[in-house]
Amino acid sequence: MEPGPAAAPAPLPLRLPLRLPLRLPLPGERMGVPTPKQFCPVLERPLISYTLQALESVCWIKDIVVAVTGENMEAMKGIIQKYQHQRISLVAAGVTRHRSIFNGLKALAEDQPDSKLSKPEVVIIHDAVRPFVEEDVLLKVVTAAKEHGAAGAIRPLVSTVISPSADGCLDHSLDRARHRASEMPQAFLFDVIYEAYQQCSDYDLEFGTECLQLALKYGHVHAKLVEGSPDLWKVTYKRDLYAAESIIKERISQHICIVMDTKDENHVGHHLEEILKNELNHVKVTSGALCPAGRDLEQIILEQCYSYVCVNVMSPDFEKTRRLLNMLEESNLSILYPVVVISVYFLDYKSVPFDQKMENLMQIKEYAKEVKKINILLCGLLIYYPQEEQNLQASLRQGATIIATLIKERNSGLVGQLLVA
């Protein structure tokens, strides 16, 4: 990784090359699935892609080196291409954790003429199945590594660690208050960790799991331990995939854009907007217009909003929703995360024959089928109007609840459905 001119401020200046070997774990029985866990889908996207995205978002990371087994090399190349990842280099993985990391370090150390990689001063080692790493903890371990030679994130132990005897009885237990769980990321002066791996015994390469221990054993470097955040946990079991999906859904549901084609503050569509703001007071709710320029909506899309409520007031049928879908498709916003679009209709059954209106609205199934191919989840919401005031308020509140649930759950099974509030 390499800090650019706009690197984040730190107690120690980060101006020398920094690069990151990313280790892909080998398939394990603990996940209980045949697919290597880094390739398991979360919201239909491989887990490894989320980790790469988190690392790419750090502007001072120059290169990311991923160790991949031969049978998964093409799959990894496909992920990089599909999700438009940048600054990624692939190397052959070893049969163990340490051998894979060593291969990544060798790729950085060799500095071959035809390679875009070069030897860094500081290197970070991270796990492919820890997708929620933040820039703050990366900066802390890098800063500490520059001062101490090595650094790693730690977390308090959740359970007490005990040591059993040969006959399966308790031998002794560790004082949980005095010990910590070693996590990732870890950072090292490149020469420290590379020389440690060069001296490493076959036993350590086969059975070792702790990089900081290698720096201590072979380089006599006492790593600085940095308190990490709760988000550094590792996806290990199948249930962890569901937890990861829940966290991602929560993160991308914090911003909702209401798209409306009228500025009439008295229109029922604005009442729905106000109810949404009141009901979802922990969520950012903004408004955008599909005007010819559409600059405000374009800006909201650029801010990576993944939830849209398209309130059809003046536009007939799906005209406005179709324009919104076209804008979203052109933006490529849905490459990384599913985008939810809820098309809301106020059915004035007195002015338009009910059968005719419903026939037009049922076209949503066909639109939804098409845009699902590009990861846009389209649903419809029907609210009867006009109604007596008390009934209308109840319908609007129910509509807001439906909207909140569709956005939070992002359930592809409801794509193309026309719900009624």
Side-chain angles (χ1 to χ4, degrees):
M1 301 180 296
E2 182 173 296
L12 292 175
L14 303 177
R15 295 178 182 170
L16 296 173
L18 288 153
R19 291 179 176 82
L20 185 147
L22 187 67
R23 187 189 71 85
L24 287 188
L26 299 174
E29 293 78 19
R30 288 182 293 180
M31 181 63 77
V33 294
T35 305
K37 55 189 173 183
Q38 64 271 14
F39 297 124
C40 287
V42 178
L43 293 179
E44 301 187 19
R45 176 178 157 203
L47 181 64
I48 175 67
S49 178
Y50 292 97
T51 308
L52 293 177
Q53 181 191 4
L55 298 171
E56 287 172 319
S57 68
V58 181
C59 65
W60 43 267
I61 292 181
K62 182 176 180 182
D63 295 302
I64 302 170
V65 180
V66 185
V68 191
T69 58
E71 62 267 27
N72 291 317
M73 190 66 74
E74 290 305 313
M76 191 66 230
K77 289 178 181 178
I79 291 169
I80 292 170
Q81 181 178 10
K82 180 176 180 179
Y83 298 104
Q84 302 178 6
H85 292 300
Q86 304 294 323
R87 315 195 305 271
I88 312 295
S89 297
L90 304 180
V91 299
V95 295
T96 65
R97 171 191 177 85
H98 277 326
R99 292 189 187 279
S100 292
I101 293 172
F102 195 13
N103 286 353
L105 295 172
K106 287 177 183 176
L108 293 171
E110 288 169 354
D111 200 11
Q112 299 176 1
D114 59 343
S115 173
K116 62 181 180 180
L117 300 175
S118 57
K119 175 185 170 182
E121 184 196 10
V122 178
V123 65
I124 295 176
I125 297 174
H126 190 58
D127 278 329
V129 290
R130 298 180 192 262
F132 303 118
V133 62
E134 300 282 352
E135 180 174 2
D136 178 59
V137 71
L138 290 166
L139 186 58
K140 285 179 180 177
V141 295
V142 167
T143 301
K146 284 182 67 67
E147 182 176 358
H148 298 274
I154 58 169
R155 289 288 300 157
L157 287 172
V158 176
S159 302
T160 299
V161 178
I162 61 173
S163 177
S165 61
D167 59 357
C169 297
L170 176 65
D171 184 72
H172 66 277
S173 67
L174 300 180
D175 181 357
R176 190 169 65 183
R178 296 185 60 247
H179 295 82
R180 294 290 183 271
S182 178
E183 308 286 358
M184 290 289 179
Q186 296 174 350
F188 305 84
L189 292 176
F190 183 82
D191 289 340
V192 167
I193 192 62
Y194 187 54
E195 289 171 12
Y197 270 96
Q198 287 178 310
Q199 300 174 56
C200 202
S201 68
D202 284 340
Y203 182 87
D204 282 333
L205 287 174
E206 283 297 317
F207 302 105
T209 59
E210 180 53 73
C211 302
L212 298 179
Q213 178 63 25
L214 295 185
L216 176 62
K217 182 177 181 179
Y218 296 103
H220 310 292
V221 173
H222 292 264
K224 180 68 175 177
L225 304 180
V226 177
E227 195 69 32
S229 69
D231 290 336
L232 293 180
W233 58 279
K234 180 180 179 181
V235 174
T236 304
Y237 301 100
K238 191 172 183 179
R239 63 176 178 267
D240 295 333
L241 290 172
Y242 302 122
E245 179 176 299
S246 179
I247 291 171
I248 293 166
K249 283 180 177 180
E250 182 73 18
R251 289 185 175 186
I252 63 176
S253 300
Q254 295 304 304
H255 185 185
I256 300 173
C257 176
I258 311 292
V259 182
M260 220 169 324
D261 60 359
T262 178
K263 295 183 179 180
D264 181 2
E265 295 295 332
N266 294 318
H267 191 276
V268 66
H270 285 286
H271 296 325
L272 176 63
E273 179 181 353
E274 289 305 313
I275 289 175
L276 269 174
K277 288 179 178 178
N278 292 332
E279 296 287 326
L280 306 175
N281 49 27
H282 62 289
V283 174
K284 179 181 178 183
V285 179
T286 55
S287 299
L290 275 169
C291 57
R295 291 190 185 129
D296 55 345
L297 185 54
E298 287 176 1
Q299 183 58 40
I300 291 170
I301 292 174
L302 286 174
E303 292 172 0
Q304 297 185 322
C305 173
Y306 294 96
S307 308
Y308 295 84
V309 179
C310 190
V311 180
N312 296 270
V313 178
M314 308 296 291
S315 302
D317 302 325
F318 286 97
E319 178 188 330
K320 187 154 63 71
T321 302
R322 190 163 48 234
R323 286 170 56 198
L324 172 61
L325 294 172
N326 289 340
M327 288 182 69
L328 291 171
E329 182 176 3
E330 291 170 5
S331 72
N332 289 326
L333 183 67
S334 58
I335 287 177
L336 295 179
Y337 299 105
V339 175
V340 170
V341 176
I342 302 166
S343 193
V344 180
Y345 298 90
F346 292 95
L347 178 60
D348 186 350
Y349 54 86
K350 292 183 178 178
S351 61
V352 180
F354 180 80
D355 291 345
Q356 177 186 335
K357 189 67 175 179
M358 287 302 296
E359 183 180 345
N360 292 336
L361 292 179
M362 290 308 292
Q363 297 175 40
I364 194 170
K365 287 185 177 292
E366 296 305 315
Y367 288 113
K369 196 180 299 182
E370 288 302 311
V371 296
K372 188 177 184 297
K373 297 175 184 176
I374 55 171
N375 210 22
I376 295 177
L377 309 181
L378 173 64
C379 304
L381 176 61
L382 184 62
I383 298 176
Y384 289 103
Y385 181 76
Q387 298 186 60
E388 182 267 329
E389 180 64 22
Q390 185 175 351
N391 292 340
L392 177 60
Q393 290 299 314
S395 292
L396 292 176
R397 283 193 297 272
Q398 186 179 6
T401 300
I402 292 172
I403 289 169
T405 302
L406 290 172
I407 288 172
K408 181 180 178 181
E409 296 300 325
R410 294 179 190 268
N411 188 341
S412 60
L414 292 176
V415 164
Q417 298 301 307
L418 182 61
L419 306 175
V420 180

